[in-house]
Amino acid sequence: MHSQASTPGPSRPSRRLRSAVVTLALGAALFTTGAVVLTPDADTTTAAEVTGRPAPARGTLGALQYRVHHVPQDAGAWAALGMAYVQQARTTADPGTYNRAEKALRRSLAAQPDDNTNAQIGMGALAAARHDFRTALDWARQATASNPYNPVAYGVLADAYTQLGQYPAAYRAVQRMNDLRPDAPALARASYTFELRGDTGQAVTLMRRSLNAASTTGERSFAHAVLSTLALQSGDARQARREAQAGLRQAPGDSALLEARARAQAALGNTRQALADYRAAIAIVPLPHYLLGLGELQQSLGHPQEAEAQYAVLRGQETIRRSGPTPADTDAILFEADHGHPSRAVTIAQKSLRTRPFIAVHDALAWALHRDGRNREALGQADQALALGTRSALFLYHRAVIHHSLGDDAAARSDLQAALRTEPHFHPLHAATARALLQRIDTTP
């Protein structure tokens, strides 16, 4: 696996990059839960022996709650329970569950203050889920120091470095993870390092290897969802649909796979099926990018009232977010820029960038600045978003519009052609605008 840490050659220009919500929230949950052993480390007494009554099924959330209630000094069980809560919060979008996760992980650390790698990994994953990536980095460093041979600790380390814009350090962490154990989570992260750098072919190859190495339904579902996204980013909507459907045959209630199939169906022009899949995903968990995807698809179909219903929920979610410490994700920034107040979008994007200098945040800030009429500032941010060679049709479209606003139609044409060549249906609203703008540029004397 030494190849994935090397720097690939420059790659030119796809649809939007997997966001933190999709990649980190789904991926890191998958990658970190495997780090925690769901059985006690020191005490092998069973729950039935403690209470004389049957215990919940081993490895479940109920079993972990049962264990810590009856053996409250079991640091490993508290760490496992904390990570189970992190996973639950990511799949239910319930922020309150993160508080239960933190309490459980801190109980683990209180029971075993030193060399408690599993609890440190859990705290790192929790901080990342809350978009506190500097704290996530601190915990990941503690975990790798307490156990330099734990591969999942390097996965959390890679997540934090990536979102903090420290890409070479992230690549090294992923390489170390694969050196220690090239399993499905490690290979999936290796795939992402190539996706970031624009090498979609190698990203697909490694994600296919991750799928083949997958040992759980969750790992297989994640791999199919990513493969669907990568196929769509390469303009192959039929393959994107096949990947999503393959995953849904095994996990019919997986919201990420339903959303992936919705995007593929929309790209194929099957809008009725796309709407149904979006609604099904939202019924499971109303994540912001599901709501935004459905709203913008409804808007593109000329259904303003239906679109506004989704946007109203998004505004309510944003009100709740602003009441807490969590910085805005890119979907919230783009929504505010396109459907709210661009100046407010600039403010929240700048705040997010201070704590998360990731390429997707640079892109969101670029678009917010453009929408606010600040195109010269916007161009610098758009260039940073594409500096790794990332193949993102949305990023390219944003920069094209900025170039056009600055009077550079040659640069705008180049970015528009690259965006539409890579992913012709990259966005329900912006793809049509991109085609119209390119035609206008080409026919202007």
Side-chain angles (χ1 to χ4, degrees):
M1 281 305 305
H2 291 282
S3 62
Q4 79 262 12
S6 62
T7 304
S11 178
R12 268 301 179 205
S14 159
R15 174 166 167 109
R16 79 179 164 200
L17 191 71
R18 283 181 264 161
S19 69
V21 169
V22 176
T23 304
L24 187 70
L26 174 61
L30 166 70
F31 297 147
T32 53
T33 50
V36 181
V37 178
L38 301 186
T39 55
D41 291 328
D43 188 341
T44 58
T45 305
T46 67
E49 290 170 335
V50 172
T51 65
R53 297 191 302 273
R58 185 178 183 183
T60 63
L61 181 63
L64 293 168
Q65 292 168 331
Y66 198 100
R67 174 71 187 181
V68 299
H69 177 73
H70 293 289
V71 190
Q73 293 307 309
D74 188 336
W78 278 113
L81 179 61
M83 273 308 310
Y85 280 136
V86 173
Q87 172 74 349
Q88 184 184 64
R90 282 171 166 147
T91 56
T92 62
D94 177 10
T97 309
Y98 289 134
N99 295 330
R100 292 192 286 276
E102 183 171 359
K103 288 178 182 177
L105 292 165
R106 291 200 180 279
R107 283 290 299 268
S108 177
L109 290 164
Q112 183 186 331
D114 299 323
D115 297 327
N116 191 341
T117 306
N118 284 345
Q120 291 163 343
I121 289 171
M123 289 295 287
L126 174 62
R130 289 170 161 171
H131 285 195
D132 184 356
F133 298 108
R134 297 191 190 284
T135 299
L137 181 61
D138 289 341
W139 281 110
R141 284 171 168 166
Q142 290 181 54
T144 55
S146 65
N147 186 353
Y149 302 101
N150 186 310
V152 186
Y154 288 95
V156 179
L157 188 68
D159 288 342
Y161 276 135
T162 298
Q163 298 298 320
L164 291 170
Q166 300 182 40
Y167 305 109
Y171 305 152
R172 290 192 294 272
V174 171
Q175 179 66 68
R176 178 62 172 158
M177 187 183 187
N178 278 272
D179 288 343
L180 289 167
R181 188 171 66 207
D183 58 4
L187 290 163
R189 269 196 178 77
S191 168
Y192 191 46
T193 68
F194 280 99
E195 183 185 345
L196 285 172
R197 292 174 285 182
D199 190 341
T200 304
Q202 185 67 356
V204 169
T205 296
L206 286 164
M207 188 54 67
R208 188 70 61 190
R209 288 180 59 186
S210 177
L211 175 61
N212 292 337
S215 59
T216 67
T217 300
E219 289 177 346
R220 286 188 289 273
S221 296
F222 179 75
H224 280 300
V226 173
L227 286 165
S228 178
T229 296
L230 290 170
L232 207 56
Q233 289 178 341
S234 300
D236 192 345
R238 285 185 172 80
Q239 179 62 23
R241 183 175 59 183
R242 282 193 292 270
E243 291 291 351
Q245 288 175 332
L248 286 165
R249 281 194 289 272
Q250 300 177 59
D254 188 292
S255 66
L257 287 165
L258 286 165
E259 190 260 354
R261 189 171 67 180
R263 288 189 286 116
Q265 296 283 28
L268 290 167
N270 302 326
T271 54
R272 182 181 298 179
Q273 296 93 323
L275 292 170
D277 280 339
Y278 268 124
R279 291 181 183 122
I282 289 167
I284 296 167
V285 53
L287 293 177
H289 62 290
Y290 299 176
L291 293 161
L292 184 58
L294 176 56
E296 291 182 330
L297 179 58
Q298 292 278 24
Q299 187 176 342
S300 74
L301 296 172
H303 304 155
Q305 290 182 325
E306 291 88 341
E308 183 55 36
Q310 309 308 317
Y311 299 158
V313 178
L314 278 166
R315 292 188 187 99
Q317 290 182 343
E318 177 62 12
T319 299
I320 295 170
R321 183 202 64 78
R322 286 199 302 268
S323 68
T326 304
D329 201 356
T330 54
D331 294 298
I333 298 166
L334 295 174
F335 172 71
E336 191 66 42
D338 283 329
H339 307 285
H341 302 281
S343 60
R344 185 186 301 162
V346 170
T347 299
I348 62 176
Q350 289 172 332
K351 182 177 180 181
S352 291
L353 192 64
R354 285 194 290 271
T355 58
R356 186 187 165 210
F358 180 53
I359 57 173
V361 185
H362 284 292
D363 169 73
L365 176 55
W367 189 241
L369 287 164
H370 159 72
R371 296 282 293 169
D372 199 35
R374 299 160 62 178
N375 286 295
R376 295 210 173 274
E377 296 171 76
L379 183 58
Q381 295 296 325
D383 285 341
Q384 288 191 66
L386 289 158
L388 296 178
T390 303
R391 293 168 58 87
S392 168
L394 186 64
F395 291 10
L396 287 162
Y397 166 74
H398 286 163
R399 190 170 68 176
V401 174
I402 294 165
H403 277 308
H404 176 67
S405 299
L406 292 169
D408 190 346
D409 280 352
R413 179 188 292 108
S414 176
D415 280 344
L416 288 168
Q417 289 173 336
L420 293 168
R421 182 173 59 249
T422 301
E423 189 178 351
H425 306 285
F426 66 90
H427 190 277
L429 297 172
H430 296 324
T433 305
R435 287 190 289 272
L437 178 57
L438 181 59
Q439 183 177 23
R440 189 160 69 249
I441 290 172
D442 285 341
T443 55
T444 300

